[in-house]
Structure formats: C-alpha cells, structure tokens
Amino acid sequence: MIPAVMPTYARVDLAIERGEGCWLFGGDGRRYLDFTSGIAVTALGHCHPHLVKALQDQAATLWHCSNLFRIPGQEKLAQRLVDNTFADTVFFTNSGVEAMECSIKVVRKYHDDTGNPGRFRIITCGGAFHGRSLATLAAGRQEKYLKGFEPMVEGFDQVSFGNLNEMRAAISDDTAAILVEPVQGEGGIRVGSVDYLKALRQICDEFGLLLMYDEVQCGVGRTGKLFAHEWADGAAKPDVMAIAKGIGSGFPVGACLTTEKVAKGMTYGTHGTTFGGNPLAMAAANAVLDVVLAPGFLEGVQARSKVFRQRLEAIAKKHPKAIDEVRGSGLLLGIRCVQPNGQMVDALRAEGLLAVGAGDNVVRILPPLTASPEELEQGAQMIERAAAKQAASAGSA
Ligand SMILES: *Cc1c(COP(=O)(O)O)cnc(C)c1O
C-alpha cells in the first residue's frame, strides 16, 4: 500500500523531533550534530533566538497579505539585498526552484524586449542542479531526474563545468545566457574558480549574453562571503541571480535578483506569486540578514571554516582508504569517499553526525554558519572515527 506521504524520498528511519543550535534530537533518544543544515538551509542553526523572536512577533502581527498591497518587510529586505549586492531589484519566491524559474523568465523577457526574441537558449553545466520543475530539470539535464518526465522543456544546452572552450563553442545566435552555480552543490561540491567566473563574465559581455548565477545553495554566507561569486572581488558579477535555502534559515523563502537594465521588461502582470514575499517569510529573512550582515560575522565564518577544513584535510591524509579528497569553500564542504558515499553517511550517523550525499561520491559537510569552534571540532572527531572505521573495513575487504 502506498504510504500517506508520497514515497519520493529514501528516508532514513529516524524521526527528528526537535532542534537547538547545531543539534537535532531524534525519536531514538539520541542527539545528532546537524551538519546537513537541512541541505544548507538552516544557516543559523535551529531555533536561533533572534529568528524565533522575529517570527513570533510577526506571527502575532500579520502572517499573510497579498502582493496586491505594499508589504513593508518586503521593501526592507529587497532594499538590503540591493544595498549589499550587484542587484537593483528583487522578486521574492518560496523556494529555490521558483527563484530559478523567475530568473529564466527574466532572461527570456530581456532578450524579447530588446528585439531578440529568438535568443532564448541558456547554456548550463554538467553536474548542475537547478531544481525539480520541468524547466529547471531541462537546465540540469540529469538523466536520473528527467527519466519518465519527458518531453524535456526546450531551450537548454549543456557543456562541462569549468571548460571555457566548450562554453565558447556552444554559443549560437539563439543563446540568451550562461547559467552556473559558482559552487556546484548537488553535483558534488565542485568550486568554480575565480578565473572561471571572471572568464564567463567576459564571454557574456563579448557575445551580449546574460550571466546567471544559481546561488541557491552556495549563497547567504555559506562560503564565507555573502554570495560565493564575491570571491572574484566584483570582477564576475551576474546579471541575474537566484537565491533561497539559507536566506530564510528554515523558513521557505527564495528570491530572484537582477539589474534595472535586465528587469525593464518585468512590468505589471508579467510574473506573480500568491505566497512569495509574505510578511512571515520576510520577517525570517530580515532576521537572518541582521545576523549575517552584522560586522565580523562573515569573517568569523571564514576563520572557523579555515581551521575546520585543515582538520578535514588532515583526516583525509591519515585515512586515504576512506577519503580521497576534501573540497569546497567556507562551510560548503565535501569529502570524496573511496567507498560508496552512502556508507560514509551511515557511518557518520552512527557516530552522531548527520551529513548528506552528493554527486561524484561526495559527502557534503554543511555545518550551520553559527557552529562554534568546539562544535566543529566535535564534528571533526566524529568524521575521523567514521573515516577510521571505513578505512578498516576497506582494509579487510
Ligand atoms: C536546492 C537547490 C535548488 C532548488 O531549490 P528548492 O528550494 O528545492 O526548489 C536549485 N538550485 C540549487 C543550486 C540548489 O541547491
């Protein structure tokens, strides 16, 4: 009999009952160090007092109000994002995939409005993940997600991530934009180098294309900058960017950010959402920004992630039969496993640490940005024990 919850996930048989900071409490009576962060969502950990207060206050004031009216929290959040990024204007959504869909529409509309309606194709990268809608599945072009859902939405081409020759060769008269994740998340924590991002910016300028970033996973402080592409120091700014995950730290919020020039065609009636940008969501996201934009917060993430990464590198060096590479940026980290990554995820959970698999046999290690040095060290010790056990089982196999 089909379960009441549609069985589209191979769920771990562990009921999560409560969260506090970096910790989750399971129905099995154990507590777990949560280095999944809900897949890079709970940026400030669980039940952060400032977020709880902001949501409680908003819950007692106003939950929802249609976008037919002005929503002060939305105006405030949009202005803060504009002040702190390349963007001039923001559309709020409830999820990453909606932020991506909006981004794709913005790109198509821009070219249509500027006299190039034939320019609608978007070049994406192998290993990309942009969401589970029909258009974003076509953008990601992952066989395993598309199978059974054909026909595929038209308008996406794909090249290898990091390969500029292939990128140039794929550009045609129909090309509208290049879309990349500055750091690929689901694809296995693959970091696009600063030089790669700068070159993409140049290519876009040369061919009149728009540069789109999907920072749904790598944004909002995850890499130690507010947005991952900022590591290029302003030399690789996008024209359109989708964000979500960390911006609500657990409250569903996403956004499409773009410039005045590109958004010119996004006039009354061209796009909409019932729930996107509602007062509760805006209260949560504004509270997240209060913390993330506070002086020293991102520097703290950088400093703590540096120490933590060195620990992971040392563990990998000590247990090459278990881990063959550590990669990533900030607290968006991946360990590539020698044995199947699912075994490592299970071994980590047995030690009391929750982590999540990704492509390329990687296990993602995504601590809350608020994890203390002590908690990161506790996590490192659990990873070390799990790696030792994995290496031992490999030795005896
Ligand atoms: C998670 C993710 C998405 C999709 O976000 P949803 O909120 O699940 O729709 C899109 N792009 C990237 C890079 C992601 O990591």
Side-chain angles (χ1 to χ4, degrees):
M1 204 171 70
I2 191 165
V5 176
M6 194 183 284
T8 62
Y9 277 89
R11 292 171 196 270
V12 175
D13 186 17
L14 171 66
I16 303 295
E17 294 183 337
R18 190 167 66 81
E20 195 183 309
C22 292
W23 299 89
L24 282 176
F25 297 79
D28 59 355
R30 288 184 71 185
R31 77 171 192 166
Y32 294 87
L33 195 50
D34 181 16
F35 282 11
T36 63
S37 295
I39 317 193
V41 167
T42 48
L44 305 184
H46 302 285
C47 295
H48 188 290
H50 182 65
L51 270 61
V52 170
K53 172 103 182 29
L55 259 188
Q56 282 175 339
D57 288 351
Q58 189 61 50
T61 307
L62 178 67
W63 289 25
H64 179 76
C65 162
S66 164
N67 282 309
L68 292 170
F69 302 94
R70 284 179 51 201
I71 298 173
Q74 219 180 82
E75 293 170 9
K76 179 178 172 188
L77 182 63
Q79 190 60 52
R80 294 171 94 183
L81 289 169
V82 164
D83 289 345
N84 286 282
T85 67
F86 72 97
D88 303 316
T89 188
V90 183
F91 184 94
F92 291 109
T93 68
N94 311 289
S95 66
V97 74
E98 291 167 272
M100 276 307 311
E101 286 279 340
C102 179
S103 300
I104 294 165
K105 285 181 71 174
V106 164
V107 162
R108 287 191 174 187
K109 190 74 166 63
Y110 167 78
H111 286 294
D112 189 77
D113 267 21
T114 51
N116 297 298
R119 283 191 130 174
F120 69 96
R121 304 194 71 84
I122 296 173
I123 306 175
T124 69
C125 292
F129 180 80
H130 299 298
R132 302 282 203 131
S133 68
L134 291 170
T136 57
L137 283 179
R141 259 182 199 267
Q142 299 230 24
E143 188 67 30
K144 64 179 175 184
Y145 295 141
L146 273 165
K147 202 170 162 353
F149 298 106
E150 294 96 347
M152 199 165 76
V153 170
E154 179 64 7
F156 298 91
D157 301 301
Q158 195 162 82
V159 300
S160 306
F161 184 60
N163 189 319
L164 292 167
N165 292 333
E166 280 187 29
M167 186 61 80
R168 283 178 174 278
I171 296 168
S172 73
D173 292 344
D174 301 340
T175 305
I178 291 171
L179 164 62
V180 297
E181 294 157 80
V183 182
Q184 287 192 343
E186 310 288 324
I189 312 295
R190 298 201 293 165
V191 181
S193 71
V194 161
D195 286 345
Y196 178 59
L197 299 182
K198 285 185 187 169
L200 292 180
R201 179 69 267 171
Q202 284 164 7
I203 291 172
C204 285
D205 292 343
E206 184 182 336
F207 290 90
L209 313 180
L210 299 179
L211 182 58
M212 307 169 73
Y213 287 150
D214 179 346
E215 290 225 21
V216 169
Q217 188 157 161
C218 60
V220 196
R222 202 26 66 194
T223 68
K225 294 276 191 190
L226 185 58
F227 293 105
H229 70 271
E230 293 172 22
W231 287 104
D233 278 333
K237 288 184 187 169
D239 299 292
V240 187
M241 178 168 77
I243 69 170
K245 294 199 163 98
I247 187 68
S249 196
F251 200 97
V253 196
C256 166
L257 285 69
T258 188
T259 61
E260 179 162 23
K261 175 185 121 181
V262 172
K264 230 171 227 149
M266 299 304 289
T267 50
Y268 299 145
T270 52
H271 198 47
T273 168
T274 298
F275 294 118
N278 95 354
L280 277 180
M282 297 299 99
N286 272 309
V288 169
L289 284 190
D290 291 342
V291 176
V292 172
L293 293 177
F297 181 84
L298 291 172
E299 289 77 6
V301 171
Q302 290 174 24
R304 282 177 277 122
S305 65
K306 197 171 160 199
V307 175
F308 182 57
R309 190 195 178 117
Q310 282 165 357
R311 273 290 270 134
L312 295 187
E313 305 264 10
I315 294 166
K317 206 166 165 198
K318 194 164 152 195
H319 298 294
K321 282 185 184 159
I323 300 172
D324 76 1
E325 194 187 0
V326 176
R327 58 202 198 191
S329 175
L331 290 175
L332 183 56
L333 292 165
I335 52 177
R336 195 168 64 185
C337 301
V338 178
Q339 287 85 31
N341 57 353
Q343 283 184 20
M344 180 64 90
V345 169
D346 291 343
L348 289 168
R349 194 171 59 255
E351 298 298 332
L353 186 135
L354 304 181
V356 55
D360 202 21
N361 211 33
V362 162
V363 172
R364 273 176 282 182
I365 308 286
L366 309 169
L369 306 183
T370 46
S372 68
E374 294 73 29
E375 286 163 330
L376 291 170
E377 175 53 27
Q378 265 179 295
Q381 287 175 16
M382 292 175 189
I383 293 166
E384 183 153 20
R385 285 196 292 274
K389 284 183 186 161
Q390 286 291 101
S393 71
S396 63

